[in-house]
Amino acid sequence: MTIRTKITGTGMYVPDRVVTNKDLEELMDTSDEWIRQRSGIVERRYVSEGQLPADLAEAACRQALEAAELDADQIDCIVLATLSSQADFPGTSFFLQERFGGTLPCFDLRAQCTGFLYSLMVARSLVASGQYQRVMVVGCEVHSTGLDFSTEGRDVTVLFGDGAGAVIVEANTDEDDRSDILEVRLHAEGKYAKKLWVEAPGTGLPGRITQEMMDRGAHFPSMQGKFVFKHAVTRMPQVLRETLDAASVKIDDVALFLFHQANLRINEYVANHLEIPAEKLRNNIQRYGNCSAASIPILLAEAEREGILKRGDLVSMTGFGSGFSWGSAVVRW
Ligand code: COA
């Protein structure tokens, strides 16, 4: 890589509607205690009627643009990571692009909860190769409109929330500025695709979905929770180490660790395993649940706003999710 890349702006948006564990108790056989103990989640945000993924993404992007002191027409490309597309096609990125006008290219990237890290790799490559100067990356999810709120869906439904987070990736040509996306490492294991998935609608199915499928809830996410948990706690430390090693960075040198927000217990386990001190790990799952591709950029935006992230610091980001997919990035802020 010849051209260094810098994250020059971050942004986030979560809907105003707060849904607590107690609220979910009204809808299904669950309890605040079960959800807190197993996942760490206290509340999450859901969109209000009529609020679209592109609305969330736009708000996050406008914040990131403002932070980077850029206008939308200075961006060369939008990469939008999501597993909850606004329509079957085109991708959510096109509904977002419409808000900015012009003919700015855009595309969706589907790598589920690792989608932001996959997108960061793409943005870094586009900028480092000289293809583009500035790429806007946004992770955006609206889960709440596609969850099973009966007791049957409780194992998955209680975990997810809606939100969006965005960053601007720019070429860094200032020799005195060490900011850089130093390394991104990605992995996938498609043989486990069905361990956490939404089966239908799908183009491999006659009519894409049948009444029988609707009746058995094939259009809701299904997850083998314990299986996913085991793989997450194995793969996350592996890829985090691999990425830091590739960048010749030691765990002790990292100022801030941001993990995907699937389960507080997963994150605490990974941090303990790697002997990462609690004060260097930031979580927000308590307030937002699992926002899939949006979780890591939301964490970044919050950390920056709260002054936790300082220029020159090393920040490590790691995620695991459906696919299975997993990855890690280390950035000199
Ligand atoms: N409320 C109350 N009880 C629930 C519940 C809920 N929301 N969801 C499941 N249960 C019940 C189960 O039915 C089961 O009951 P049983 O023992 O009578 O059969 C019991 O709680 C234990 O369920 P189990 O699935 O064994 O719980 P767990 O300790 O594995 O925790 C998860 C469940 C989902 C929190 C955990 O497996 C997990 O976090 N997995 C990984 C999630 C992840 O990483 N996902 C996505 C990556 S993007």
Side-chain angles (χ1 to χ4, degrees):
M1 297 270 174
T2 46
I3 303 172
R4 280 174 302 121
T5 49
K6 178 174 183 175
I7 296 176
T8 55
T10 62
M12 62 156 286
Y13 179 80
V14 290
D16 293 337
R17 195 173 141 213
V18 177
V19 176
T20 64
N21 294 343
K22 289 264 176 224
D23 293 332
L24 295 180
E25 283 179 10
E26 307 287 313
L27 303 170
M28 62 186 81
D29 181 12
T30 190
S31 68
D32 177 47
E33 194 195 355
W34 191 97
I35 301 171
R36 278 182 203 238
Q37 271 182 5
R38 305 285 172 133
S39 71
I41 299 166
V42 178
E43 58 187 40
R44 73 285 292 141
R45 304 296 182 97
Y46 286 175
V47 288
S48 301
E49 213 181 315
Q51 204 173 15
L52 299 168
D55 297 325
L56 276 53
E58 182 186 2
C61 287
R62 291 207 185 276
Q63 239 183 52
L65 285 167
E66 197 184 326
E69 299 179 358
L70 292 171
D71 291 324
D73 60 8
Q74 293 173 280
I75 297 295
D76 299 314
C77 182
I78 301 172
V79 184
L80 185 144
T82 192
L83 67 75
S84 52
S85 194
Q86 188 164 318
D88 205 16
F89 76 83
T92 303
S93 59
F94 292 82
F95 298 102
L96 170 67
Q97 193 268 4
E98 181 195 2
R99 313 288 176 92
F100 297 113
T103 60
L104 169 67
C106 62
F107 60 93
D108 282 28
L109 189 149
R110 296 182 59 176
Q112 302 67 250
C113 296
T114 322
F116 176 75
L117 295 171
Y118 269 73
S119 301
L120 199 62
M121 160 82 98
V122 171
R124 174 183 184 244
S125 303
L126 287 171
V127 173
S129 67
Q131 181 74 42
Y132 290 133
Q133 281 276 308
R134 300 183 185 95
V135 176
M136 186 151 67
V137 175
V138 50
C140 171
E141 305 288 0
V142 172
H143 288 304
S144 62
T145 51
L147 298 171
D148 178 359
F149 287 96
S150 75
T151 295
E152 220 157 301
R154 65 182 180 176
D155 58 329
V156 174
T157 297
V158 300
L159 303 175
F160 288 94
D162 303 339
V167 300
I168 311 289
V169 177
E170 291 194 61
N172 178 8
T173 50
D174 180 351
E175 280 179 22
D176 299 327
D177 182 347
R178 293 163 68 217
S179 296
D180 197 10
I181 301 171
L182 298 170
E183 271 294 339
V184 187
R185 294 291 169 119
L186 305 172
H187 294 280
E189 207 164 14
K191 69 178 174 185
Y192 298 130
K194 296 181 181 177
K195 299 290 183 187
L196 171 51
W197 73 322
V198 178
E199 185 181 356
T203 49
L205 308 163
R208 303 202 171 176
I209 190 160
T210 60
Q211 188 57 51
E212 178 274 325
M213 296 182 104
M214 295 282 286
D215 293 344
R216 68 177 161 85
H219 56 304
F220 293 128
S222 82
M223 174 173 75
Q224 291 186 23
K226 280 196 171 27
F227 190 89
V228 177
F229 193 102
K230 259 194 246 163
H231 281 255
V233 296
T234 310
R235 294 308 196 180
M236 287 173 66
Q238 276 174 0
V239 73
L240 189 154
R241 275 212 181 97
E242 175 195 338
T243 310
L244 293 191
D245 286 350
S248 303
V249 167
K250 293 194 192 67
I251 285 194
D252 285 349
D253 297 335
V254 175
L256 183 64
F257 291 86
L258 303 176
F259 295 165
H260 173 55
Q261 303 290 295
N263 188 320
L264 197 58
R265 289 188 305 152
I266 292 178
N267 293 357
E268 286 169 355
Y269 181 96
V270 173
N272 280 338
H273 182 75
L274 294 172
E275 296 179 12
I276 293 168
E279 64 274 15
K280 284 192 178 183
L281 180 68
R282 195 188 155 85
N283 291 295
N284 61 18
I285 190 170
Q286 301 89 334
R287 289 173 285 133
Y288 304 141
N290 181 349
C291 298
S292 296
S295 283
I296 292 179
I298 291 175
L299 279 169
L300 262 182
E302 285 191 331
E304 200 181 30
R305 265 149 206 65
E306 289 171 29
I308 295 165
L309 253 184
K310 295 183 194 70
R311 285 290 167 199
D313 277 358
L314 287 165
V315 53
S316 163
M317 301 172 253
T318 304
F320 180 92
S322 159
F324 289 158
S325 60
W326 64 100
S328 188
V330 59
V331 173
R332 182 167 302 280
W333 200 253

